[in-house]
Amino acid sequence: MDLHEFQAKECFERHGIPVARGQTAATAGQAAEAAERLRPPVVVKAQVLTGGRGKAGGVKLCRSVAEARAAAQAILGMDIRGHTVRTVLVDPAADIRGELYLAVTNDRAARRPLIMASAAGGMDIEAVNRETPESILRTHVDPQIGLRDYQIAGLASGLARARGTALPAGLRHPFAVLARSLYDCFRATDATLCEINPLAVVAEDGRLALRALDGKMSIDANALFRQGGLAEVRDASAEPAGEAEARASGINYVKLDGQIGCMVNGAGLAMATMDLVGHFGGAHGIGPANFLDVSGGASAQQVATGLRIILSDASVRAVLINIFGGITRGDEVARGIMAALEEVPTALPMTIRLAGTNHEEGMRMLEEAGLANVTVAQSLQAAAQAAVDAARSG
Ligand code: GDP
Ligand code: MN
């Protein structure tokens, strides 16, 4: 679960990380009021769950209340990479002297948290990682031992020597405190990512200081049961359309970028199905539109809900249903699919593969139903190939 910038910065602040104390606004009028209270200059920032807002015009420096109102007017309602802006954050503007990068994430391969720091902050860190990976300093943390002072000192001296924004000598201690706070925040919130970009060197009252000007946090959704405060801030309206409905129905759904809507029972089978779609479709730019595990009995109701979720994604051009009948019987699944199609009619091409208990009967029922857009496939390979063909010609 991703947090908005203002939510991430609230977490940071609770852990003692210096942030700008801003206010959110849902209308241009509220933004103007916030700007008046904070006294310009202020920055007005789009709150959407995607990065690169600056480049997209979603971050504006404003020198007056009128400018802040106009900026909010322009940014609210803006579409940033498929995310509609419904809230802006109005922050007091900082006098930026340099931009660093600091993040804690999980390195799954190393099976431990990883701290990354860079003097090339502010910009697209993925691009930095591609072009000059050596400019990103990395330190793994043993979760049993915790973050040690020497590790932070190593990062600080790396940043002090770096090209780009060299960490000023006077900020080494504040950096050490801040890095520890970020690690504590990461651990305490069950985060999978805590990122500050930029971690700005700012001038205030004639002195240099560090400030988290941007914040990005992802929380492990499996830990939300013990993250009461965070579970409540989940912004369902900012998530891809189907994800909230799926969660409410106990369906595991993750929206992806492709064109083939996949409905599968079982997470492993769903992954294998996606791999096959990628295998046949990859060369043609065709891939899975989602991961969806209907789970459990694949009842008519569950299949209908899954289908509705898949079809709510406008980029879906073909549907692939792959159900293995263990406890679930193939004839029951077939009945479920037909009931679902009555409830959620669609003209999109659908390929269905059933295997396991009573699969012959299920397949015969589907064939006899004579639905024009439905193809019953004999194998998973054939099903994936047919779905790719349908998506290509559709
Ligand atoms: P992102 O593009 O989505 O990562 O949004 P950021 O919050 O990182 O903002 C993008 C850029 O806007 C930063 O790298 C800064 O250069 C600039 N920016 C953000 N806040 C301030 C501020 O308070 N003052 C000034 N002058 N620039 C800011
Ligand atoms: Mn940023």
Side-chain angles (χ1 to χ4, degrees):
M1 179 188 85
D2 295 336
L3 299 189
H4 282 298
E5 174 194 0
F6 74 91
Q7 296 164 333
K9 293 204 293 202
E10 280 167 16
C11 282
F12 291 171
E13 189 172 23
R14 278 199 291 280
H15 286 87
I17 294 169
V19 297
R21 282 226 180 76
Q23 280 170 15
T24 55
T27 64
Q30 286 173 4
E33 276 169 35
E36 197 153 356
R37 229 168 297 149
L38 295 168
R39 300 221 175 90
V42 294
V43 275
V44 177
K45 310 179 75 176
Q47 298 299 289
V48 278
L49 298 178
T50 180
R53 297 163 304 160
K55 271 190 199 144
V59 178
K60 288 203 164 77
L61 181 65
C62 307
R63 309 209 168 272
S64 67
V65 172
E67 270 183 48
R69 182 191 298 273
Q73 191 86 52
I75 293 173
L76 286 164
M78 189 184 262
D79 179 283
I80 300 183
R81 299 204 221 157
H83 298 256
T84 308
V85 183
R86 296 200 175 85
T87 306
V88 291
L89 173 64
V90 184
D91 261 357
D95 180 1
I96 301 179
R97 299 299 165 90
E99 299 188 317
L100 302 165
Y101 174 93
L102 183 66
V104 188
T105 185
N106 277 328
D107 181 347
R108 287 171 174 245
R111 291 186 288 175
R112 43 188 67 186
L114 171 67
I115 301 192
M116 291 184 285
S118 175
M123 357 172 191
D124 180 359
I125 197 70
E126 281 83 13
V128 174
N129 189 37
R130 258 194 320 274
E131 284 149 31
T132 52
E134 70 284 354
S135 68
I136 300 178
L137 308 164
R138 294 160 218 261
T139 303
H140 286 99
V141 183
D142 184 325
Q144 307 292 352
I145 297 175
L147 181 59
R148 306 312 304 258
D149 286 340
Y150 75 87
Q151 295 181 298
I152 302 180
L155 291 174
S157 44
L159 288 176
R161 274 183 271 121
R163 267 190 296 152
T165 300
L167 181 68
L171 292 182
R172 277 186 166 221
H173 180 66
F175 174 81
V177 174
L178 194 151
R180 184 166 293 289
S181 303
L182 192 66
Y183 182 73
D184 291 344
C185 175
F186 175 83
R187 296 282 295 181
T189 57
D190 286 308
T192 53
L193 174 71
C194 282
E195 182 188 79
I196 306 177
N197 189 27
L199 172 59
V201 176
V202 300
E204 55 180 24
D205 311 326
R207 261 185 294 164
L208 294 179
L210 289 174
R211 171 137 325 139
L213 288 192
D214 188 10
K216 195 170 168 188
M217 280 179 68
S218 301
I219 309 295
D220 183 346
N222 292 315
L224 285 177
F225 72 94
R226 62 179 193 189
Q227 293 290 346
L230 289 175
E232 281 160 31
V233 305
R234 175 171 237 157
D235 183 357
S237 74
E239 293 176 354
E243 287 191 8
E245 185 181 5
R247 203 165 45 245
S249 326
I251 291 176
N252 295 312
Y253 171 79
V254 180
K255 180 170 159 34
L256 302 169
D257 295 331
Q259 308 81 357
I260 298 185
C262 300
M263 174 148 54
V264 189
N265 64 337
L269 189 58
M271 303 271 227
T273 307
M274 285 162 45
D275 283 352
L276 264 188
V277 167
H279 174 76
F280 289 117
H284 312 290
I286 301 284
N290 61 274
F291 167 95
L292 190 154
D293 169 13
V294 279
S295 74
S299 66
Q301 200 45 52
Q302 201 75 339
V303 171
T305 306
L307 195 57
R308 193 162 46 238
I309 291 166
I310 286 174
L311 296 176
S312 71
D313 175 359
S315 47
V316 168
R317 298 218 296 260
V319 178
L320 172 56
I321 299 183
N322 180 23
I323 304 286
F324 177 79
I327 296 170
T328 314
R329 300 194 329 259
D331 52 319
E332 194 156 308
V333 172
R335 233 171 267 125
I337 292 171
M338 290 188 292
L341 281 174
E342 260 168 49
E343 199 182 309
V344 193
T346 175
L348 285 180
M350 284 180 57
T351 308
I352 303 172
R353 179 253 184 177
L354 300 177
T357 312
N358 286 8
H359 73 275
E360 293 97 342
E361 195 181 338
M363 279 161 48
R364 203 192 60 235
M365 286 165 64
L366 286 168
E367 265 159 4
E368 283 170 1
L371 299 161
N373 57 327
V374 172
T375 314
V376 180
Q378 298 300 326
S379 71
L380 179 50
Q381 279 89 331
Q385 181 70 68
V388 167
D389 292 345
R392 286 182 69 193
S393 57

